[in-house]
Structure formats: C-alpha cells, structure tokens
C-alpha cells in the first residue's frame, strides 16, 4: 500500500458521514488490544479554543520531558498534522502501517454489518500509534461534541478541559447553550478533574457544575485573577501567572482565556504528581504554534490567515482587528461552508473590511462564492466573487501599509496558504 492509497482508504469513509456513538470505536480498540488503556490522557472539548488549549498543554508536557502525543483536527496543509509526537508529525510509513492495522479490523466489523466512519477510523489510528510509540501522555482534541465523540472511548483522563462553548453544529448537538454544554460535558468521567474556560456564559457554567457534582468530578474554573497581561501585539502576548512571566505567540483576549484554561490543566496535572517545572511552562508556552490561527504569511504588506467559521471565531477576529489594526485599510478573502451561520459571521467581521473577495473552497459543502458575496454586500460596499485562488489573490492584492486577511473555513485556509505566501514573496 502506498501513502496515497492509505489516504484514499481514509477519505473513502467520509461518505459515511457522522454517526455519533461509541460502540464502533470500542470494537476497534478491543480488536487492537485496547490502546486507549495504555496511555495517560488530557481530553479537551469545546466549541472554540480546543486546538490552542491542546497545543499549549502538549507543548508544556513535552518541555517537561514527557513523550507527548497530540491529536487534533482539522488539518491545514497535511493530513499528518493531526497526529504528532513531541511536535513531529507521524511519518508516511507509520500512516501506511496504522491504516493497514485499523482497516483489517474495520473490514471485519463491516462484514458483520457495522460501518466505521472516517473520524472513528483515524481516532483508532491515533490511539494505536500513541500506545505503540510508548507515549507518556496524549492530548486529545474532541472532534464533535464530547459525549458520543470517538475520542471519548478513553477512561478517566489525567485531566479534562472544556473550552469556550457557543452555538455550532446545532443540528447534531442541540440549539441551546445548555444542550451543547451537556454534550461537551460528556467527557467528564466519575472521579475526574475538569478545567473550565472562565469566560463561558453562566448557563454553561451552571450545567457543567451540575454534571461535575453528579459524577463526583472536581471542577476547576480557570481563576483569571492569577493572570496579569503585560503587553499584547500581533506578535503575541506577554503576561504573568502567579507572578511567573510567560509569553505566547497567540494574541487576543480569547487567547488569554485559552491560556488560563491550559494553565489550569497544568495545575491539575501537578496536583497528580506530574513533574512540570516553571522553566518547562515558560518554554512550552513561548514555542507553541498553530497554523492558520491569526498566522502572519507576510509582513510587508501584512497578510494574515485565520481559519474559523462560527460566531465565536468571528468575535475573536473582530477583537484582534479592532485592537491591533484599527484605522488601516483591510481587505478580506473569505470562504465559508454552506452549513455554517454565514450571516452571523459576516455581521461581526465584514464591516471592518474595506473590500471583500469571496471564494468557494473545493468542498461539496462550500457556500458558492456569489451567494456569499450577496450576503456580504449587506455589510460591505465593495464585494466581488472570485472563481479561482489566483483570481482571488489578484482581486484582493494589497500593498504598503494595507492589510489582507484570509478568513473563514479551514478548507479555504488549506487551499490558499501556500499560494498566498508565494504571491507575496515573489
């Protein structure tokens, strides 16, 4: 089997869609020798901020000397981004090996009438790889929800975390914050310990507090009185936590909430005897990196890539632009999926742009460029639909002190990132 054939085996399972439930992932793990029982985990759910929280915690554990796996989604440029150990992506040979191992099990299940989804398949791959590679810890980002997400096949994690919760995937998770919080709180296990993002709505805090009490889990709401922000820019943020000086390359008030959540996870791990020095904490935070999260692709002119499609992502982008780029001419290239609340996203960010170029990612769920452009015209006077990446970059060209923001779907981010870098460095 080649690497390309292995990826095709995985991608073929996208046809099966989303099927909540743990019975299939349990069957996969049982047949693989229960890898989920051979690693210690940090488990992170939430609507926004999961990726940042996971990355910070994994980076700190790695800096502390632990062999640390990291499982996240979606990827931006390379499928292998979803599986990392100590910052290094899984090798192509290991992808081939894991696909072969999991496929043999999945095919037996399918012969018995079960259908394994793409996310269940790759979650089994990740758990098996982390165990076979003798990871001390693995940090798992929930794919969708929590209660019925494939990552929830694990037992009681060393720490669980619930990041910011807002309305998203309402057709699957429910259309109220309380319903969504209930689904996210499915990762809370009896006797566990949970770090909670501090800036969640009161109804979310109440729901999660009640569930923790029912399950005998200890709730740690991030105490942001311990944090003092010393300075912030597009380059990142400097702050202290209990007087310890820390820096992170992430910017925006939402990223400080995420940092406080990650630091609360570190508190939980330390309470359980995990050896994490202040030096490891400082190094882990300062060296963290995530592609397409307010990522700067060019400095002169300034080109920013920001993947994220829901109202929480829109609010975060709005805050960063208003804080750091107010008064500058900002152009946007934007693409959004048709099953997302594009109008709420546009209402938050589109008025900050002097010009918007819309582009549909190459995905069956993508909102057509002209349809998105028509919606955007309610908030911005200069909106044009493009049909190709090359056309979008030409129509949105900025110079000097002007700013280009490429935003919306991660599918767009993955398709346009390299082209945008090449366009502004040629």
């Amino acid at each position: 089997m080649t690497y390309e054939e292995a990826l095709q085996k995985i991608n073929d399972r996208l046809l099966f869609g989303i099927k909540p439930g743990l019975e299939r992932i349990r069957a996969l793990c049982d047949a693989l020798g229960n890898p989920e029982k051979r690693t210690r985990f940090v488990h992170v759910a939430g609507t926004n901020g999961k990726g940042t929280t996971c990355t910070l915690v994994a980076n700190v554990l790695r800096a502390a000397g632990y062999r640390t796996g990291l499982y996240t989604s979606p990827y931006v440029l390379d499928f292998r981004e979803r599986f990392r150990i100590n910052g290094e992506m899984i090798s192509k040979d290991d992808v081939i090996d894991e696909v072969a191992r999991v496929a043999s099990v999945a095919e037996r299940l399918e012969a018995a009438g079960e259908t394994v989804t793409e996310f269940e398949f790759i979650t089994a791959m990740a758990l098996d790889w982390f165990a076979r590679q003798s990871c001390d810890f693995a940090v798992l980002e929930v794919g969708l929800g929590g209660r019925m997400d494939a990552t929830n096949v694990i037992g009681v994690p060393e720490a669980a975390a619930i990041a910011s919760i807002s309305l998203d995937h309402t057709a699957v998770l429910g259309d109220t914050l309380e319903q969504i919080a209930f689904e996210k709180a499915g990762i809370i296990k009896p006797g566990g310990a949970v770090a909670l993002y501090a800036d969640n709505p009161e109804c979310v805090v109440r729901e999660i507090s009640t569930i923790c009490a029912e399950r005998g889990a200890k709730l740690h709401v991030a105490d942001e009185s311990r944090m003092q922000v010393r300075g912030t820019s597009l380059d990142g943020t400097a702050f202290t936590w209990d007087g310890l000086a820390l820096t992170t390359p992430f910017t925006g008030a939402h990223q400080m909430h995420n940092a406080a959540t990650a630091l609360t996870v570190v508190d939980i791990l330390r309470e359980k005897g995990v050896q994490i020095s202040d030096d490891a904490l400082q190094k882990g935070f300062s060296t963290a990196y995530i592609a397409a999260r307010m990522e700067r692709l060019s400095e002169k002119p300034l080109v920013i890539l920001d993947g994220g499609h829901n109202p929480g992502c829109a609010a975060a982008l709005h805050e960063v632009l208003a804080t750091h780029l107010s008064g500058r001419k900002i152009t946007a290239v934007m693409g959004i999926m048709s099953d997302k609340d594009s109008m709420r996203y546009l209402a938050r960010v589109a008025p900050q742009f002097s010009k918007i170029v819309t582009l549909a990612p190459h995905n069956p769920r993508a909102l057509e460029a002209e349809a998105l452009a028509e919606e955007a015209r309610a908030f911005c006077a200069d909106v044009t639909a493009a049909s190709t990446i090359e056309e979008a970059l030409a129509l949105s060209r900025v110079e000097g002190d002007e700013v280009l923001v490429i935003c919306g779907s991660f599918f767009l981010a993955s398709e346009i990132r390299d082209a945008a870098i090449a366009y502004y460095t040629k």
Side-chain angles (χ1 to χ4, degrees):
M1 187 190 319
T2 66
Y3 176 68
E4 289 71 24
E5 288 168 341
L7 289 187
Q8 190 59 52
K9 273 186 174 290
I10 295 167
N11 291 336
D12 286 345
R13 295 182 175 277
L14 290 168
L15 298 173
F16 302 143
I18 298 170
K19 295 170 61 179
L22 299 178
E23 60 275 6
R24 294 171 299 278
I25 186 67
R26 284 177 178 147
L28 286 171
C29 286
D30 286 348
L32 290 166
N34 295 113
E36 81 283 6
K37 296 180 180 178
R38 306 204 304 272
T39 308
R40 290 183 286 176
F41 294 100
V42 175
H43 201 189
V44 182
T47 307
N48 296 308
K50 299 189 300 293
T52 300
T53 303
C54 286
T55 298
L56 289 170
V57 172
N59 234 36
V60 168
L61 285 168
R62 173 188 172 193
Y66 294 100
R67 185 166 174 79
T68 306
L70 176 62
Y71 177 53
T72 59
S73 59
Y75 68 91
V76 177
L77 295 175
D78 191 320
F79 168 79
R80 296 180 299 137
E81 293 170 28
R82 303 180 77 160
F83 314 76
R84 297 177 186 265
I85 294 177
N86 284 355
E88 297 294 324
M89 292 190 300
I90 186 172
S91 70
K92 290 184 178 181
D93 285 344
D94 280 355
V95 170
I96 294 169
D97 186 31
E98 288 297 339
V99 167
R101 285 172 57 81
V102 177
S104 67
V105 177
E107 288 161 7
R108 290 202 302 270
L109 290 175
E110 283 153 4
E114 290 287 0
T115 302
V116 176
T117 68
E118 182 255 3
F119 189 72
E120 291 164 345
F121 191 96
I122 64 172
T123 299
M125 286 175 57
L127 295 172
D128 191 54
W129 187 57
F130 294 149
R132 294 175 71 205
Q133 292 291 321
S134 301
C135 285
D136 299 306
F137 286 93
V139 181
L140 304 180
E141 178 182 354
V142 166
L144 177 64
R147 185 172 63 94
M148 291 296 177
D149 187 77
T151 60
N152 209 27
V153 70
I154 67 171
V156 182
E158 296 300 307
I162 296 180
S164 174
I165 292 180
S166 59
L167 295 174
D168 197 13
H169 298 292
T170 53
V172 178
L173 303 180
D175 57 7
T176 69
L177 289 175
E178 290 89 346
Q179 288 174 318
I180 293 174
F182 173 79
E183 293 295 332
K184 307 289 186 185
I187 71 168
I188 298 172
K189 304 293 200 311
V194 185
L196 178 61
Y197 184 95
D199 198 39
N200 271 307
E202 179 56 36
C203 62
V204 168
V205 177
R206 186 167 54 249
E207 180 73 19
I208 291 172
S209 298
T210 298
I211 290 170
C212 283
E214 290 172 350
R215 298 177 190 171
K218 186 175 181 181
L219 178 61
H220 304 250
V221 179
D223 180 3
E224 295 187 355
S225 68
R226 300 163 64 187
M227 174 182 283
Q228 297 293 323
V229 176
R230 299 301 186 190
T232 182
S233 71
L234 283 175
D235 292 321
T237 309
F239 64 101
T240 61
W241 180 262
D242 289 341
L244 178 68
L246 296 167
T247 61
T248 172
F250 307 130
T251 191
H254 65 295
Q255 295 290 22
M256 288 298 92
H257 296 314
N258 293 331
T261 307
L263 287 161
T264 304
V265 171
V266 171
D267 285 344
I268 293 170
L269 295 174
R270 282 172 161 173
E271 286 179 8
K272 294 190 173 186
V274 180
Q275 298 299 304
I276 300 173
S277 68
D278 286 349
D279 285 345
L281 196 52
Q282 290 171 318
K283 182 179 179 181
F285 267 61
S286 66
T287 59
Y289 165 78
I290 307 176
R293 304 301 209 283
M294 291 302 298
E295 182 184 10
R296 293 161 77 165
L297 304 184
S298 168
E299 295 295 334
K300 195 72 172 182
L302 180 60
V303 179
I304 295 171
L305 179 65
D306 188 54
H309 49 244
N310 60 41
C313 295
L317 177 58
H318 170 89
E319 187 259 333
V320 170
L321 297 181
T323 301
H324 299 295
L325 296 172
S326 178
R328 295 175 68 173
K329 182 180 179 182
I330 309 174
T331 296
V333 173
M334 184 185 299
I336 296 179
M337 295 293 104
S338 60
D339 55 354
K340 301 302 176 183
D341 191 344
S342 53
M343 287 299 287
R344 286 188 67 186
Y345 183 90
L346 287 163
R348 194 67 168 140
V349 301
Q352 294 172 284
F353 301 130
S354 59
K355 179 178 182 178
I356 296 174
V357 177
T358 61
L359 180 64
H362 292 295
N363 186 287
R365 294 191 293 111
L367 183 62
E368 291 298 325
E370 187 53 57
L372 180 59
E374 187 61 33
E375 292 180 351
R377 291 184 183 109
F379 308 98
C380 177
D382 187 354
V383 183
T384 305
S387 57
T388 66
I389 288 173
E390 293 74 19
E391 183 185 11
L393 291 173
L395 288 170
S396 64
R397 182 174 178 82
V398 294
E399 298 176 340
D401 289 332
E402 297 173 344
V403 180
L404 174 63
V405 175
I406 303 169
C407 58
S409 171
F410 278 104
F411 290 105
L412 175 64
S414 67
E415 293 170 12
I416 201 171
R417 184 180 183 273
D418 285 351
I421 292 172
Y423 188 85
Y424 283 98
T425 56
K426 63 185 178 183

